[in-house]
Amino acid sequence: MELERTQEVRDTIEAPTRAQGRDELHAWVQDQISVGLITDRASMVDALTDAGFDIPRAGKAYLTVLDPDTGERWRLKGEIFHEDWQADTAERETLPFAAGCLNSHTPDFRCICSKG
């Protein structure tokens, strides 16, 4: 990396509650995939909006999810958030169910998990 750019790149310290909210949301999405409610990126966006979240930005490899009640934003990255991603049967069977407060058959993430 060029010396002048190294000053522009800084580690961001994230509050534990913010990271927890993103991790819970990511786990909820994985859980919905594992039970077959989310099968591709379009159904993922639909599930998130049905749960009350806004999607202000959808990049090629990520989704930005906004909680309109709190103004909290999370950028969700990873293979499952790519625009051309589609779940296959084997993937759904191997994804772990979300741990903790999530119920695999409950489509409303915000009713179940408290946010910070």
Side-chain angles (χ1 to χ4, degrees):
M1 184 179 294
E2 298 172 8
L3 182 58
E4 57 269 1
R5 288 230 353 119
T6 59
Q7 293 177 350
E8 296 174 17
V9 178
R10 299 178 190 196
D11 290 333
T12 303
I13 299 172
E14 184 174 49
T17 56
R18 178 174 164 72
Q20 179 184 358
R22 184 190 59 247
D23 292 345
E24 288 176 355
L25 185 56
H26 193 274
W28 178 81
V29 168
Q30 288 183 318
D31 190 46
Q32 299 300 297
I33 293 167
S34 69
V35 296
L37 297 175
I38 293 176
T39 57
D40 57 14
R41 185 161 170 185
S43 62
M44 183 183 304
V45 169
D46 290 343
L48 288 164
T49 55
D50 289 348
F53 293 98
D54 292 334
I55 310 295
R57 191 168 189 118
K60 289 182 179 184
Y62 69 88
L63 290 175
T64 300
V65 179
L66 168 69
D67 180 350
D69 296 338
T70 65
E72 189 84 40
R73 290 175 173 254
W74 298 278
R75 178 153 297 175
L76 303 177
K77 298 188 248 181
E79 184 180 338
I80 64 172
F81 299 104
H82 284 242
E83 66 184 356
D84 59 352
W85 172 83
Q86 290 192 353
D88 59 22
T89 306
E91 182 176 12
R92 278 184 268 163
E93 291 172 357
T94 60
L95 279 173
F97 281 93
C101 66
L102 302 177
N103 177 328
S104 63
H105 301 290
T106 305
D108 192 352
F109 170 82
R110 292 173 356 136
C111 288
I112 300 167
C113 293
S114 61
K115 294 187 262 342

